[in-house]
Amino acid sequence: MPKKSASTAIVRLSTAPEDLVADVRRMVGAGVRIDEALLDAAMRGWSTNTRRAFRSDLGLWGQWCRKRSVSPGAAAPADVAAWIRALAGVDPSDQTVRAMATIERYLVHVGWAYRMAGRTDPTADPLVKFERKAARNHLGVRQRQARAIRFKGDIADLDSPAAGVCLAHLLKACRPDALGLRDAALLRIAYDTAARRSELVAIEVAHVEGPDADGAGLLHIPSSKTDRKQAGAEAYLSPATMAAIARWRKAAAMTRGPLLRRVVTHFDGSIDRIGSERLHPNSITRIVQRLIRRAWEQGLLGGMGEAELERWVKAVSSHSIRVGVAQDNFAAGEGLPAIMQAYRWRDARTVLRYGAKLAAKSGASARLAKRFSDQR
């Protein structure tokens, strides 16, 4: 019998208020009185992911201080400024260079921790403000955008054949067994709903309604990153997606609980069992990367070389399909308000940024350039 693969389960940080309080106390020293009103407001205002990020960011700050033999509770603005320079890649260090948006998040959370403890916030010092400005100049404020995975790829006409890395080819690359059925259901749900990774892994069997007379269905999304009031939302599921969900549920003998679950495999790739636990959010990116490699191995990506394959794999994330959905909607002529309403976007700038590259290829300048491209 083949050996089972080793477990690589990810331990998630607790978001319990007492654990956040403990982290703050560790940072500034035991016996410190925490501003309970401020902490209570934060707990009610922050999402679970924000609380988890808060704990993670305090841990990174604590590690930085220990490397400099500085007590976090006694850290000075100069220590924060040095951290910013290291994170931005201005000063050589063993720190991973981060995007400016990530650095800003670190500083916000560290600053909140000092204020919760009633201590002077070193991140608010003028020195730190200037270092933040210098880091923005060094890094630029443009955020790295996940490479889009559109349904048929980077095509101008939606009726054209599929090309390159695209959802159509990833679906073809899915295995015919339970793992492939799970992957196909995941891809189709992600495309129909443009769901974020946290929304995808939170789907329960009971959240899927249908199929109706046309074979379509609805997905109830109880909460999301931008749904702070927990009002919930409904998303359309196509007949093809409902059929994919039905095939996956039948293979897993699934009647309730998490819809998108772990499929445990042996070292040789054969199926060991279908787990009862839901996928971890971080696994969505790995699944997409695995399917891109499989599509390449099957010759579905045309003449793509290994170097380009690796660039693709590095550039995709769990957000890639969501970006691709936005681009396909723009290519189909859908307006910005309709796209935002259908896919639960709150910030128009985000959607427009996703469509910027597509607009550059199909806008007025592109049409004029193509018109005269053959003239010398």
Side-chain angles (χ1 to χ4, degrees):
M1 176 183 288
K3 295 181 180 179
K4 297 178 184 178
S5 59
S7 173
T8 56
I10 299 172
V11 179
R12 305 186 73 184
L13 289 173
S14 163
T15 57
E18 59 268 23
D19 291 321
L20 272 69
V21 170
D23 283 346
V24 173
R25 284 196 171 125
R26 271 193 294 273
M27 188 182 82
V28 297
V32 174
R33 181 182 177 278
I34 304 296
D35 187 333
E36 295 182 5
L38 182 57
L39 179 63
D40 177 66
M43 292 303 100
R44 288 183 284 108
W46 286 350
S47 68
T48 299
N49 285 339
T50 300
R51 296 180 203 174
R52 191 170 288 117
F54 176 78
R55 293 198 65 195
S56 174
D57 297 347
L58 289 196
L60 294 174
W61 170 239
Q63 291 172 16
W64 170 256
C65 289
R66 285 192 293 275
K67 286 181 180 179
R68 293 170 63 85
S69 300
V70 172
S71 169
D79 298 306
V80 181
W83 193 36
I84 295 172
R85 291 195 301 272
L87 291 170
V90 175
D91 289 350
S93 77
D94 60 355
Q95 296 286 301
T96 301
V97 176
R98 302 295 186 184
M100 194 61 215
T102 303
I103 296 173
E104 294 283 9
R105 190 195 79 192
Y106 291 170
L107 296 175
V108 167
H109 287 162
V110 169
W112 274 120
Y114 281 103
R115 292 195 289 278
M116 286 175 177
R119 295 293 184 91
T120 300
D121 175 12
T123 71
D125 190 85
L127 172 63
V128 174
K129 291 181 180 179
F130 279 117
E131 285 290 0
R132 289 165 76 164
K133 185 174 182 179
R136 281 194 292 270
N137 291 338
H138 179 75
L139 291 170
V141 295
R142 183 183 178 189
Q143 288 183 262
R144 175 182 172 272
Q145 179 177 299
R147 195 158 183 181
I149 296 180
R150 298 172 59 188
F151 196 91
K152 287 188 173 182
D154 191 13
I155 56 174
D157 182 357
L158 295 181
D159 293 324
S160 299
V165 177
C166 62
L167 198 82
H169 288 158
L170 298 191
L171 286 168
K172 286 184 179 180
C174 290
R175 293 164 37 159
D177 57 11
L179 180 65
L181 294 177
R182 193 278 314 276
D183 292 346
L186 168 63
L187 291 177
R188 287 195 175 275
I189 293 170
Y191 187 83
D192 281 2
T193 66
R196 301 172 178 86
R197 64 179 190 170
S198 59
E199 296 166 351
L200 287 170
V201 300
I203 297 172
E204 300 275 331
V205 171
H207 293 162
V208 179
E209 178 184 324
D212 60 18
D214 297 323
L218 286 176
L219 174 65
H220 177 63
I221 302 174
S223 64
S224 66
K225 177 181 177 182
T226 56
D227 182 17
R228 294 299 176 84
K229 295 183 179 180
Q230 307 294 299
E234 309 295 326
Y236 174 81
L237 296 174
S238 69
T241 300
M242 291 298 292
I245 292 172
R247 288 190 292 270
W248 160 236
R249 287 186 57 187
K250 182 178 179 180
M254 188 188 310
T255 58
R256 62 182 180 179
L259 179 64
L260 299 172
R261 308 179 181 192
R262 287 188 64 210
V263 177
V264 182
T265 60
H266 298 290
F267 280 122
D268 66 356
S270 60
I271 303 296
D272 173 32
R273 68 184 185 278
I274 297 173
S276 59
E277 64 274 25
R278 68 183 74 248
L279 289 174
H280 188 279
N282 291 350
S283 66
I284 305 299
T285 297
R286 292 196 292 269
I287 291 170
V288 173
Q289 291 171 332
R290 170 170 55 77
L291 289 173
I292 291 175
R293 292 188 187 280
R294 183 173 169 84
W296 182 78
E297 291 168 357
Q298 294 180 353
L300 296 172
L301 306 185
M304 179 183 292
E306 288 191 46
E308 177 61 15
L309 169 68
E310 293 307 318
R311 283 193 290 270
W312 252 105
V313 170
K314 186 177 180 180
V316 297
S317 77
S318 59
H319 224 59
S320 291
I321 295 177
R322 186 169 167 84
V323 178
V325 168
Q327 293 188 358
D328 276 349
N329 271 272
F330 279 120
E334 294 292 344
L336 178 61
I339 297 172
M340 293 179 64
Q341 190 277 329
Y343 300 106
R344 306 166 310 286
W345 267 295
R346 293 291 180 267
D347 187 352
R349 293 172 298 179
T350 299
V351 190
L352 290 172
R353 188 174 74 247
Y354 291 163
K357 291 183 179 179
L358 191 68
K361 293 181 179 180
S362 58
S365 62
R367 290 192 295 272
L368 186 63
K370 289 175 183 177
R371 183 174 181 177
F372 296 114
S373 61
D374 295 332
Q375 297 188 22
R376 298 179 183 274

